[in-house]
Amino acid sequence: MKIFIQLPAHLSINEWKKKFDKDQILGINDSESPYGYARLNNKGHTVEFSDSPRNMIICKIIRKLLGFDLFNVLRFRNKIFKSDIVWTHTEVEFLAVCFLLIFWKKDVKILGQSVWLLDKWSKFSFLKKMIYLNLIKRVDILTFHSILNSNLAKEKFYFSKEKIKVVKFGIPTEKMYPVKEKYIKEKYLNIVAIGNDIHRDWESLVEVCGGKSNVKLTIISTTINHQIIGNYKNIEVRTFNNKKEFVEF
């Protein structure tokens, strides 16, 4: 099957590959594509990706007005129309794809991944909720990483059980790094937490680990608010320039 991956506007498959080749993708995400989507090529499918728009300002304005990324999706409409399945990374993309396929009346399957929609649902106006609900009807399979959100979707979106799936996401197992001997000998629990997402709940993690003598927490993030660390001596925030630095850490 031909599968088109509609990525967020800020993600460029070409830039990702360049960074991957230079070991600049931090973490244990050993894949030449964002979030491992290219693995579908090994399953007998043909995979293509969207790319970042040159004019991000227009993209951001339209996304702010509509709540979904119509500008970037329109750029790839020809590839979308020629695909068997469009797999979107978040609701920002699948709502736009739904709009596109409804308007052009194209018979393309949509695999829609939802991440934040239900968290923001109560803040939407009645009109926006109605628009989104009608767009969501066009999705063939609605996927979630969260079991709680998948259950909520059955109530709010009126989706059948068969159309809602929970997709467990984690690091790949093809290449595992052994625990360093220095950490094995340590008497405390060494925790490393990585992420730049705006919805990372660093506050809860700091609250749980802060001040505990048997726990050492290292947060690797460029977006965290350093003030939440307070005076906890067992917590530090770090950044790395490349994957080698991270693995050696």
Side-chain angles (χ1 to χ4, degrees), residues 192-231:
V192 179
I194 311 170
N196 293 320
D197 293 353
I198 60 173
H199 290 91
R200 296 269 175 170
D201 188 6
W202 296 122
E203 289 86 351
S204 295
L205 184 60
V206 169
E207 185 179 349
V208 170
C209 298
K212 290 183 170 56
S213 59
N214 62 334
V215 175
K216 179 184 177 182
L217 171 62
T218 303
I219 296 174
I220 302 172
S221 176
T222 58
T223 60
I224 186 174
N225 179 2
H226 289 242
Q227 292 183 349
I228 68 172
I229 305 303
N231 297 318

Side-chain angles (χ1 to χ4, degrees), residues 34 41 49-50 55 72 76 82 92 98 102 115 128 148 154 163 175-177 199 203 213-214 224 226 230 236 238:
N41 284 313
F49 291 85
S50 66
N55 197 329
N72 200 34
F76 298 99
K82 293 177 182 178
V92 174
C98 288
I102 290 172
V115 181
K128 185 169 281 190
L148 292 176
K154 295 170 187 176
K163 280 193 170 186
K175 185 178 181 180
M176 302 296 290
Y177 295 90
H199 290 91
E203 289 86 351
S213 59
N214 62 334
I224 186 174
H226 289 242
E236 68 170 334
R238 300 191 58 169

Side-chain angles (χ1 to χ4, degrees), residues 6-226:
Q6 183 68 51
L7 295 171
H10 69 276
L11 274 181
S12 164
I13 183 65
N14 294 323
E15 288 300 316
W16 180 282
K17 286 181 178 179
K18 289 178 183 178
K19 289 182 178 180
F20 179 83
D21 292 338
K22 295 178 181 178
D23 274 344
Q24 293 177 343
I25 303 295
L26 300 184
I28 316 297
N29 192 350
D30 295 314
S31 174
E32 294 183 3
S33 68
Y35 307 100
Y37 286 114
R39 293 169 187 269
L40 288 167
N41 284 313
N42 301 325
K43 304 293 184 181
H45 305 295
T46 303
V47 181
E48 281 193 272
F49 291 85
S50 66
D51 213 336
S52 296
R54 292 181 180 179
N55 197 329
M56 283 292 290
I57 296 177
I58 294 177
C59 190
K60 288 179 180 179
I61 292 174
I62 295 177
R63 186 169 68 238
K64 185 71 174 178
L65 291 172
L66 300 177
F68 51 87
D69 197 4
L70 185 60
F71 177 78
N72 200 34
V73 166
L74 283 171
R75 293 173 61 241
F76 298 99
R77 59 187 179 276
N78 291 331
K79 290 187 176 182
I80 289 174
F81 294 159
K82 293 177 182 178
S83 301
D84 297 306
I85 297 174
V86 179
W87 192 354
T88 67
H89 188 60
T90 72
E91 49 278 291
V92 174
E93 292 77 47
F94 84 62
L95 289 170
V97 173
C98 288
F99 181 91
L100 180 73
L101 295 180
I102 290 172
F103 188 85
W104 265 273
K105 294 182 173 59
K106 296 292 183 178
D107 186 20
V108 179
K109 302 295 184 184
I110 302 175
L111 184 57
Q113 171 67 32
S114 182
V115 181
W116 301 295
L117 190 63
L118 279 161
D119 296 331
K120 298 179 179 180
W121 192 257
S122 61
K123 299 178 181 179
F124 294 147
S125 66
F126 176 79
L127 178 60
K128 185 169 281 190
K129 286 180 181 178
M130 291 301 101
I131 293 173
Y132 287 177
L133 283 172
N134 279 283
L135 290 176
I136 291 170
K137 290 178 183 178
R138 180 59 182 79
V139 177
D140 294 278
I141 298 292
L142 193 60
T143 65
F144 295 88
H145 295 318
S146 165
I147 294 176
L148 292 176
N149 278 354
S150 70
N151 291 334
L152 280 173
K154 295 170 187 176
E155 299 175 12
K156 294 183 180 295
F157 297 163
Y158 311 108
F159 255 57
S160 64
K161 184 178 179 180
E162 292 72 23
K163 280 193 170 186
I164 293 180
K165 303 294 181 182
V166 175
V167 176
K168 296 179 180 180
F169 185 82
I171 64 173
T173 57
E174 293 92 334
K175 185 178 181 180
M176 302 296 290
Y177 295 90
V179 178
K180 290 182 172 57
E181 187 176 352
K182 66 177 182 178
Y183 293 128
I184 297 175
K185 292 181 179 180
E186 288 173 347
K187 296 181 180 180
Y188 53 81
L189 178 63
N190 192 62
I191 301 173
V192 179
I194 311 170
N196 293 320
D197 293 353
I198 60 173
H199 290 91
R200 296 269 175 170
D201 188 6
W202 296 122
E203 289 86 351
S204 295
L205 184 60
V206 169
E207 185 179 349
V208 170
C209 298
K212 290 183 170 56
S213 59
N214 62 334
V215 175
K216 179 184 177 182
L217 171 62
T218 303
I219 296 174
I220 302 172
S221 176
T222 58
T223 60
I224 186 174
N225 179 2
H226 289 242

